[in-house]
Amino acid sequence: MPELPEVEQVRRSLRPHLVGRVIRGVEIRRPGFIAGTDRPTPADLLAGDRVVAIERVGKFLAAVGASGRAVQLHLGMTGRFIVRASVEDLAGIEHVHVVWKVEEPASGAREVVGFCDPRRFGEVRPCASADALREAWSRLGPDALTITPETLGPRLRPGRRAIKAALLDQRVLAGVGNIYADEALFDARLGPRRHAGGLSGPEIARLCGAIRSVLASAIDAGGSTLRDFVDADGAEGSYRDRHKVYGRGGETCVVCGGVLRSGLIAQRTSVWCPVCQQRPGGGGRARGRGAMP
DNA sequence: CGGTACGCCTGAAGGC
DNA sequence: TGCCTTCAGGCGTACC
């Protein structure tokens, strides 16, 4: 399930296949998959344009054309890009909803880039201008790789909701999903049910550092492949091997050897260590003393 | 405000 | 073996 590290890995692997190249044509195989318009045209999806950048904020990608048009892309749960030499090479691959036919202007070399998404939780959304893209992204919080205690702290208040729920809210910060929320909270030694607005300054600083280091390490590892995540070149990520809590409910904590607990928080399966992620001297939950400002 | 539930989807995995 | 149920979850939305 692509979160920031996986999306960044996709961005990096997709870039050489698209940036600097011209879109010679777009095959819209499932028009209903294209967001924001009933009858999408190839021109909506950068046909005739030259791609100048692949941008990312949080879990969103955007291919930006020289004309200023853009296409916003979200991988949802199972979205992936498939690069092949020609459309014939995509035959037999199910759930390919859009195919971009690209050409390298200098050499005339061609490739096709397909967007495949079995579950269709992903999104391909045309943006008529850079402003439209900026507007769409303005609702997102700061990219999780850029947060500081100064930018994150105020966004957690006022907050009686669980810190885990706040981290999953893309308006608070962009890019964290279920896996990295659990991993970051473990590294920060914060219980997932702690109230977001009740964290002390040092705890916010710890959380910030944990989020950034967990995401950076995952990017270095090419992301986490659980079932079928692969980048545009078909490569898997290896960060799954380094998950300390995600997917390990009932197993032993790598730090203290205790049993990891799992439960539902914000409608997401969550795993945490009841020993390590407990306030010193506290009961694991906010108690209205000590850390309040 | 926050929490809960649901719908969108398919495929993997588990149970019998 | 094969069928059926459950689960996975990003995100928007409705409702309490």
Side-chain angles (χ1 to χ4, degrees), chain A residues 21-22 24 85 102-111:
Chain A
R21 297 186 167 185
V22 173
R24 286 299 178 203
V102 304
E103 180 182 309
E104 177 71 41
S107 65
R110 298 188 174 197
E111 269 183 339

Side-chain angles (χ1 to χ4, degrees), chain A residues 28 44 53 64 92 125 135 141 143-144 159 188 211 229 231 239 279 291:
Chain A
I28 302 171
D44 292 331
V64 180
R125 179 181 292 271
E135 202 276 331
D143 186 78
I211 291 169
F229 167 75
D231 69 16
Y239 194 74
R279 303 172 81 174

